[in-house]
Amino acid sequence: MSSNDTANEVDVNRVFIGAGCNRIVNNVSWGASGLVSFGAQNAVSIFCPKTAQILTTLPGHKASVNCTHWLPSTKFAFKAKHLERHYLLSGDTDGVIILWELSLVDKKWRHMLQLPQSHKKGVTCITGIMVSQSEAVFASTSSDGAVHIWEVVFPSIPGGDCKLSCLESLCVGSKAMVALSLAELPGNTNHLVLAMGGLDNKIHLYCGQRTGKFVRACELKGHTDWIRSLDFSLPVCTSGEAISILLVSSSQDKVIRIWKLALRGSSANTQGTYRKEVISLASYIEGPVLVAGSSSYQVSVESLLIGHEDWVYSVQWEPPSTAPSDGVSCQQPSSILSASMDKTMMIWQPEKTTGIWMNVVTVGELSHSALGFYGGHWSPDGRSILAHGYGGAFHLWRNVGVDIDNWQPQKVPSGHFAAVMDISWSRSSDYLLSVSHDQTTRVFAPWKNVASLMGENSWHEVARPQVHGHDINCVTIIQGKGNHRFVSGADEKVARVFEAPLSFLKTLNHGTSQESSFPEDLQVDVQILGANMSALGLSQKPIYVNATRETVERHGNDGLDTLESVPDAVPAVFTEPPIEDQLAWHTLWPESHKLYGHGNELFSLCCDHQGKLVASSCKVYDVFLVAVNLCSN
């Protein structure tokens, strides 16, 4: 390489990744490393909740990613105190499962291997447990009616290879399983129990040794609709001895059930009999007996949790926040997180005096456009909870209270959850505008005073100017007041023009630039504060600065949230990056013009260098150009 070539070298650094979560159950996993994994189309994305930034994407899948699972997960964070390498499993709609390695020392990822025995159809769930710091057992299920159980031994040296072996392949029939959970049986560490549930409304329990040979032990009946989530607790200790284990299940019947597997002949059964005679309300219903080797376990219904108003897609035990004192057992916190399509997540805990399980915390989405949660997840320390929903967005709450619980929403990364069709830089280069087939237009910008891992300004979604009823194909930014005006085209015959409202201009000046790109004297001329969406989601009406607040107050008092009565937006100037609820409803731009002329769907837009002329094209070969003068304000 010559000296001239060296002098002309250009360094390229990645500063921002925006992506939405695939809208599917079991897609998200929070690992003991503190990082969250999720599928974003064909890639596995990794984000850091502390910085609200997507750190990287892992390419390798050729189909959409359905599910991810960390080894170790948050449940086994107490076993990962000194681990230098963490592992991640990901499965896609082609049935392929890939194992990845993360080195915590240099923050580098490595594609370890692809499982040799793929499922014939899409992977629906992956679950696993750490049996030691260097060994894990995991299971996967698919809509092909098969469940594979694997053992993996991790390398002892950096760069080494994993030892992978298939312990068992189970055929569960035509009614596929969509939820799995693995655990070690208390008092019998050589045996594992696998719970699976799915389309037949039953929970099936299989027992097997560490070397394989899983056999069907029993089935648990009670749910009246599909089983959507299962999670075993860690062994429950009594008098320093692990004698029972709990299983929580959720279903589309809106009910959560807690099942108890108690080692027969232990003090747990004696206590249970005494409770049954004295306190009938807290007594449990005995079920089948599970036999594993020389041990047997009495299965009983411990509790029913009723409170959700729609399908319960996810349940998860709170992970232990401290390491075990004896080095073997670890006390399981009595706390369950559930996520439902009723737009809420709930934390359930037993009442101290009666032991009856109660809903103690409820958080959720309030936006009318929200359609519920596909999953809920605990952080390793149990102080944060994360949900992902139908719109591909994340919602994060953290308990900031000291003596009492005080769950507050936190910043999370965001992005499109469908194909991004076009992008355009603002004329002042302050932000990037993107449109997608997820029917939204989004503004991404660097936000000062929010440090990223690189020590520079971190990027965030600062506005969602357009939420449309059609897939949006193209966008271009044109000249306007402060150079903040754009034209977008969708799967319709109309191009729409949007103007930046005053709330966006002030937010942009506050958060994204040291020097104002739209001075205060010009902001006085802008009389539109924000925009409202119509019930059909096709037109956005302006909200004027001096408009009356009667409509807002009326909707707030009535508490109506239906398609027939859409609440008004409340645009505001944000002093920190807005969260999902604010983005989806309070950052819209008003629509100022509609440009007619095309007879088919628009698919391309561009403007001249001065931003005064717009060219558009549609899906008719002989009509491809229309020029419109939009230079007037």
Side-chain angles (χ1 to χ4, degrees), residues 66-123:
N66 275 354
C67 48
T68 61
H69 185 81
W70 281 93
L71 294 173
S73 61
T74 54
K75 182 189 297 186
F76 298 95
F78 66 93
K79 289 187 177 182
K81 298 294 184 181
H82 306 292
L83 289 182
E84 296 182 352
R85 293 179 297 277
H86 289 238
Y87 299 86
L88 178 66
L89 292 159
S90 58
D92 63 27
T93 55
D94 282 347
V96 174
I97 299 176
I98 296 177
L99 177 65
W100 313 84
E101 180 190 72
L102 168 64
S103 173
L104 297 181
V105 177
D106 53 11
K107 308 297 182 184
K108 290 185 178 181
W109 286 86
R110 183 163 67 108
H111 182 293
M112 292 291 291
L113 56 88
Q114 177 178 319
L115 267 63
Q117 187 173 347
S118 300
H119 288 282
K120 297 179 181 179
K121 295 183 179 179
V123 182

Side-chain angles (χ1 to χ4, degrees), residues 478-490:
I478 60 176
Q479 187 181 22
K481 285 187 176 181
N483 290 327
H484 304 298
R485 174 193 278 177
F486 72 88
V487 183
S488 65

